[in-house]
């Protein structure tokens, strides 16, 4: 990785955890029991059959299956068993039949997008995944890409319409060589498909955009004119899909969808019910929480919790989670760069692998120009470079909100960058408010800071964005160690450590990704001393656990006890304030009250986490609390 001055970062090797063996017959039998239970009661499935969940996750099957089971659950589509549609490979007989179907499939004018990772291929149309397949490590071939495209045409996922595109855009985030790209373009041509790299298709896309605009104009002037389905699709600078209306609500008690107008608790207005029968059934429990819920609902209004500065999220309108993918498509960043982890198109790729693929692309293509490196993020030009110096005399510690950050950087408020920058900017906020005053500079004026992120998931794929800390923490050596069982054990050692240097700021940051449970060896720094890191091998200045889900993850208990026993400064984030209250109650019972009470995070992700059975608000990294 290069910094804004073109200086290369360093990579440091480490040992990765191997996936354990398991009995295939026993595993198969447990799978048959696991998935029906998962559909009815996910928590029970994970509690009773944890070895199945762990094995599936290790094999990178579970993420893709869950995506197929749960994708857009509020859309009203029937949930189907993903095992009936998912297959790791296509037999020769099926290949021949699918290939024949691709020749005769009806043609659609809507361009398709093809994403190529190091081990998987995803084919999307209008933001909807039509096909994907995971392949053994070793580099994706043109034949493999072609096989997924053909299957997406003739046998698309979720029984979508069989059709063949005229144009395929192979995304700039691809992990394949130019030779493979050229071979794919040549191969699909025999099906009447024109393919190419997205960045080279400007003329073709411009022509299509003009044609679609003409169709839309005709429709607006002539009510009898029917706009072709393709004209309602997605393309850069063309007409975009509209946000979908609010999905059906669901009853908190019986969990059934509510087709008619839903009821809610008349006192707190937080809980959703289908009828008075269910509300009365819930009352013995709900009456204990109702006053607290009422306070939280009133707080949204009195403290203006929706008052974020964005065009797409403010007090008058909010971007909801069920429209997040549509929003990414509208902003032309769906399936692009650092935004890839925000939708399900790469759900089959383990956490950290997308960041690793980014590093691999820099290495394989030998991209040296800092601007060209930056473009792979998919961020707007307004953010280049991420670690640019702030105006002379500006107090960086005054950056305490999205509004301040966007204004001082000159970023327009319609820019979607906050959807991914929430992670490093939340870390900055926690450092600025709870850590920085305790860091004493040395005689040379330099500071050293070590931050541990435990239990990471999406954070692992946003590691390169931590470059923003370099200009916020000048003359500082920063280490961010990420540790989690969710970090892919397939991550190559050379991609497990990222170094970024900004000479103008005289700051360096090292970000490490390690698979495993956060342990005493991590807390003491012993786990890092043998790796030869230049700094960051001692105890952390703070441990941060983002979107912790402490209540639902029993595996956290030994880690939390270790942090408490060591009086380690530990900061958490949670989506919902109510969850923080429950966690606080649990911690109080073991004599560990919160030293940082629930506080709204000013750098929360500007996407409202919609819940079908409650009106309580929540955001990714929505609320902060801490113990130490």
């Amino acid at each position: 990785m290069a910094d804004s001055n073109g200086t290369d970062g360093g990579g440091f090797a480490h040992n990765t955890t191997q996936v354990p063996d398991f009995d295939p017959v026993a595993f198969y039998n447990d799978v048959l029991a696991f998935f029906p239970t998962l559909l009815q009661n996910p928590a029970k499935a994970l509690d009773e059959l944890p070895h199945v969940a762990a094995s599936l996750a290790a094999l990178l099957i579970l993420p893709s299956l869950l995506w197929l089971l749960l994708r857009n659950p509020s859309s009203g589509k029937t949930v189907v068993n993903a095992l009936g549609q998912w297959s790791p490979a296509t037999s020769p007989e099926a290949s021949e039949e699918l290939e024949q179907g691709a020749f005769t499939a009806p043609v659609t004018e809507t361009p398709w997008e093809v994403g190529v990772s190091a081990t998987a291929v995803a084919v999307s149309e209008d933001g909807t995944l039509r096909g994907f397949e995971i392949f053994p490590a070793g580099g994706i071939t043109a034949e493999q890409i072609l096989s997924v495209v053909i299957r997406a045409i003739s046998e698309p996922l979720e029984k979508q319409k069989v059709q063949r595109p005229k144009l395929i855009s192979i995304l700039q985030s691809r992990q394949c060589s130019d030779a493979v790209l050229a071979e794919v373009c040549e191969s699909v041509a025999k099906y009447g498909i024109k393919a190419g790299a997205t960045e080279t298709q400007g003329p073709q896309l411009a022509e299509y955009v003009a044609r679609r605009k003409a169709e839309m104009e005709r429709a607006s002037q002539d009510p009898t004119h029917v706009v072709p389905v393709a004209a309602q699709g997605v393309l850069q600078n063309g007409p975009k899909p509209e946000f979908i209306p609010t999905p059906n609500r669901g009853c908190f008690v019986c969990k059934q969808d509510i087709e008619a107008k839903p009821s809610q608790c008349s006192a707190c207005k937080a809980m959703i019910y289908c009828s008075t029968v269910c509300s009365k059934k819930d009352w013995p429990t709900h009456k204990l929480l109702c006053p607290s819920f009422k306070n939280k609902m009133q707080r949204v209004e009195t403290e203006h919790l929706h008052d974020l500065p964005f065009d797409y999220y403010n007090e008058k309108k909010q971007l909801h989670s069920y429209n997040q993918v549509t929003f990414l498509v509208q902003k032309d960043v769906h399936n692009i760069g650092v935004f890839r982890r925000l939708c399900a198109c790469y759900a089959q790729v383990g956490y950290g692998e997308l960041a690793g693929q980014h590093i691999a692309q820099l290495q394989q293509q030998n991209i040296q120009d800092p601007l060209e490196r930056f473009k792979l993020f998919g961020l707007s030009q307004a953010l280049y470079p991420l670690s640019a110096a702030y105006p002379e005399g500006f107090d960086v510690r005054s950056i305490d909100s999205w509004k301040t950050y966007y204004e001082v950087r000159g970023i327009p408020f319609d820019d979607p960058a906050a959807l991914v920058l929430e992670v490093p900017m939340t870390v900055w906020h926690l450092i600025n408010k709870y850590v920085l005053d305790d860091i004493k500079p040395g005689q040379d004026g330099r500071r050293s800071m070590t931050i541990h992120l435990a239990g990471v998931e999406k954070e692992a794929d946003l590691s390169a964005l931590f470059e923003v800390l370099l200009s916020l923490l000048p003359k500082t050596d920063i280490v961010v160690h990420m540790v989690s069982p969710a970090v892919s054990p397939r991550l190559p050692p050379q991609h497990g450590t990222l170094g970024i240097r900004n000479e103008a700021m005289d700051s360096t940051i090292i970000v490490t990704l390690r698979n495993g449970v956060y342990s005493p060896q991590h807390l003491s720094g012993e786990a890092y001393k043998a790796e030869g890191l230049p700094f960051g091998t001692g105890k952390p200045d703070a441990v941060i656990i983002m979107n912790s889900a402490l209540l639902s993850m029993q595996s956290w208990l030994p880690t939390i006890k270790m942090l408490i026993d060591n009086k380690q400064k530990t900061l958490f984030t949670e989506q919902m304030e109510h969850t923080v209250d429950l966690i606080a109650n649990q911690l109080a019972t073991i004599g560990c009250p919160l030293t940082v009470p629930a506080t709204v995070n000013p750098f929360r992700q500007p996407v409202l986490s919609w819940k079908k059975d409650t009106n309580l608000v929540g955001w990714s990294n929505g609320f902060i609390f801490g113990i130490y």
Side-chain angles (χ1 to χ4, degrees), residues 226-242:
V226 178
V227 180
V229 174
Q232 303 166 13
V234 180
L235 198 63
Q236 292 181 357
N237 302 319
K240 306 297 183 184
E242 297 294 329

Side-chain angles (χ1 to χ4, degrees), residues 93-389:
E93 295 79 8
S95 294
E96 184 175 342
E97 182 178 346
L98 293 173
E99 185 175 356
Q100 186 59 39
F103 278 112
T104 58
V107 174
T108 173
E109 296 286 342
T110 306
W112 288 6
E113 295 177 329
V114 176
V116 182
S117 74
T119 56
V121 178
V123 181
S124 301
E125 178 186 18
D126 286 0
T128 299
L129 195 66
R130 288 185 64 92
F132 75 83
E133 195 161 325
I134 305 167
F135 297 97
I140 298 294
T141 66
E143 184 178 11
Q144 290 168 333
I145 297 173
L146 178 63
S147 70
V148 182
V149 171
I150 290 175
R151 188 159 192 169
I153 294 172
S154 303
E155 196 176 82
L157 296 174
E158 297 196 3
K159 300 180 181 180
Q160 297 176 67
K161 184 178 180 181
V162 172
Q163 55 188 10
R164 168 170 44 101
K166 285 186 175 181
L167 184 66
I168 283 179
S169 291
I170 302 178
L171 299 176
Q172 190 171 3
S173 55
R174 60 189 174 273
Q175 293 295 295
C176 65
S177 66
D178 290 342
V180 168
L181 174 63
E183 188 175 346
V184 171
C185 295
E186 182 178 351
S187 299
V188 299
K190 66 180 180 181
Y191 298 95
I193 301 171
K194 187 170 185 178
T198 302
E199 62 269 25
T200 65
Q201 293 182 321
Q204 299 97 314
L205 297 182
E207 178 183 345
Y208 183 69
V209 168
R211 187 162 63 249
R212 286 204 313 180
K213 283 184 176 179
E215 287 285 352
M216 299 302 289
E217 289 175 2
R218 285 182 60 192
S220 64
Q221 297 171 2
D222 180 5
T224 64
H225 178 70
V226 178
V227 180
V229 174
Q232 303 166 13
V234 180
L235 198 63
Q236 292 181 357
N237 302 319
K240 306 297 183 184
E242 297 294 329
F243 284 174
I244 64 173
T246 303
N248 288 341
R249 303 308 297 263
C251 180
F252 180 77
V253 176
C254 68
K255 307 304 179 185
Q256 298 298 314
D257 280 358
I258 303 173
E259 299 292 341
K261 184 178 180 180
S263 301
Q264 60 189 19
C265 173
S266 58
C268 69
K269 297 180 174 54
M271 309 312 293
I272 304 297
Y273 303 107
C274 64
S275 64
T276 55
V277 174
C278 281
S279 64
K280 289 180 179 179
K281 187 182 297 184
D282 188 44
W283 180 244
T285 301
H286 178 67
K287 66 180 180 181
L288 303 175
L289 298 171
C290 190
S292 174
F293 286 168
K294 183 177 181 179
N295 290 336
K296 289 174 174 55
M297 293 294 293
Q298 290 177 342
R299 184 181 180 191
V300 175
E301 302 298 327
T302 58
E303 298 186 22
H304 306 285
L305 297 190
H306 289 310
D307 187 20
L308 293 175
F310 304 105
D311 292 359
Y312 51 88
Y313 200 113
N314 51 60
E315 285 198 292
K316 292 184 179 180
K317 66 176 180 180
Q318 294 88 44
L319 172 61
H320 289 74
S321 54
Y322 54 81
N323 269 319
Q324 181 170 324
V325 172
T326 302
F327 176 74
L328 295 173
V329 173
Q330 288 185 348
K331 293 296 183 181
D332 297 321
V333 294
H334 173 250
N335 221 337
I336 298 295
V338 290
F339 293 93
R340 288 179 292 171
R341 188 53 81 184
L342 299 188
C343 69
C345 293
Y346 283 84
Q348 73 277 13
V349 180
Y351 290 113
E353 290 188 40
L354 294 179
Q357 292 163 14
H358 179 90
I359 297 172
Q361 187 168 7
L362 295 176
Q363 295 171 345
Q364 293 169 3
Q365 299 181 11
N366 193 28
I367 301 175
Q368 298 297 326
D369 181 75
L371 179 57
E372 292 304 312
R373 291 183 174 219
F374 172 83
K375 287 178 180 178
L376 295 179
F377 288 140
L379 297 170
S380 68
Q381 188 77 14
L383 282 139
Y384 176 75
L386 280 174
S387 58

